[in-house]
Amino acid sequence: SKKVVDVVLSIQPQVSSAGGGKTSEEIVADLAKEIEEKMPRILDRENASKEKDPFAITESGMANSLGTVLGQEMDRFNKLILVVRKSLKDIQMAIQGTIVMSGDLDLMFTRMLNNQVPALWERYAYPSLKPLAGWVKDFLERVEFMDRWLCDGEPNSFWLSGLFFPQGFLTGALQNHARKTQIAVDRLNFGFNMSSVTDVAELEGQPENGIYIHGLYLVCAQFDLEKKMLIESSPGSMFAELPVIHFEPVENYNPPTENYECPLYKTSVRAGVLSTTGQSTNYVLNMSIPIHPDTDPDFWILQGTA
């Protein structure tokens, strides 16, 4: 259905009707200027917190793997910020006739007019299904989260879905625990402790072992905060937010057979490109979640819960 809508939008007339309304050029120029004014600053290591330096050596005397992940994420976000900022300037100049309207800029013009994310941005961005307005809002929130991590130190809870490469982040968390406990990292896996906390501001600090994660959503199910288990979705509800989850590294972890192994994906499309690991690039990991005693894991598999 999304492809059909995209095709319909791509063939619709781009000339506004007579009546004093804005032309297509004016609409796109105003939108580009509005987004440009909201663009965040570049993430600079010089702004890192001195008291809670995210790149500092850990208590075990080893490098902080999460600091390495932060540096890699900053590089990716900075590249995207520069691409978006430059293309917004270029599209405004092209509309004014100052520079030539290239093929990329012409496609960007059409997509912005249709409230779609320009393909030029998607090349450097994270997977996202949001329209342009929602994408810009989400992008600014992601950069703000990275900036707080950089300037204020590691947060109590990490926004996993706000990262470019969540798989690398989770591996970094396991490496930190392995160095802290002297347990081989290949013997560690995450156990999942579901909390009843929905507001990260209520957290008093970081867990002793592992990390807190927020920003995940369920499809085809919802989570009962009181009973701490999966239940069927409410009528008419497509998505349900999960509470803060404690990802705790466990040696030789075997998930409880009575729990549902819920797959975690970056986007609701679930499909992705087959990576060198033999898994989809859209797939992150399986989360072991308690389920209602009247159901079994096969029930949630048939529901398509993820």
Side-chain angles (χ1 to χ4, degrees), residues 218-222 231-233 237-238 270 300 303-306:
L218 278 172
V219 180
C220 303
Q222 64 183 10
I231 58 175
E232 292 190 67
S233 299
S237 176
M238 292 184 61
R270 308 191 188 187
W300 299 103
Q303 292 278 357
T305 303

Side-chain angles (χ1 to χ4, degrees), residues 136-280:
V136 171
K137 181 176 182 293
D138 178 65
F139 167 63
L140 296 175
E141 290 175 351
R142 288 175 186 245
V143 176
E144 182 183 1
F145 169 74
M146 300 303 298
D147 193 58
R148 288 200 308 269
W149 184 358
L150 174 68
C151 299
D152 301 335
E154 292 184 5
N156 291 337
S157 178
F158 292 90
W159 183 20
L160 185 65
S161 52
L163 303 175
F164 265 86
F165 191 48
Q167 297 96 319
F169 170 81
L170 295 175
T171 300
L174 288 177
Q175 287 176 339
N176 274 355
H177 186 78
R179 291 166 180 171
K180 176 183 176 181
T181 59
Q182 299 299 306
I183 300 174
V185 69
D186 58 352
R187 291 166 55 190
L188 292 173
N189 280 301
F190 282 114
F192 307 93
N193 301 317
M194 312 299 291
S195 75
S196 57
V197 177
T198 56
D199 185 359
V200 294
E202 297 178 13
L203 296 173
E204 297 179 355
Q206 297 179 337
E208 183 177 350
N209 293 313
I211 50 177
Y212 287 131
I213 294 296
H214 68 275
L216 304 184
Y217 290 82
L218 278 172
V219 180
C220 303
Q222 64 183 10
F223 190 78
D224 190 317
L225 294 176
E226 294 183 1
K227 298 180 180 179
K228 295 187 178 180
M229 62 176 62
L230 281 184
I231 58 175
E232 292 190 67
S233 299
S234 302
S237 176
M238 292 184 61
F239 303 97
E241 187 174 5
L242 279 168
V244 173
I245 306 170
H246 181 197
F247 281 48
E248 183 176 13
V250 179
E251 185 177 5
N252 298 324
Y253 174 73
N254 290 314
T257 55
E258 66 273 15
N259 285 6
Y260 172 55
E261 291 297 297
C262 183
L264 175 63
Y265 297 95
K266 295 179 182 178
T267 68
S268 58
V269 168
R270 308 191 188 187
V273 180
L274 194 65
S275 66
T276 54
T277 62
Q279 297 176 332
S280 167

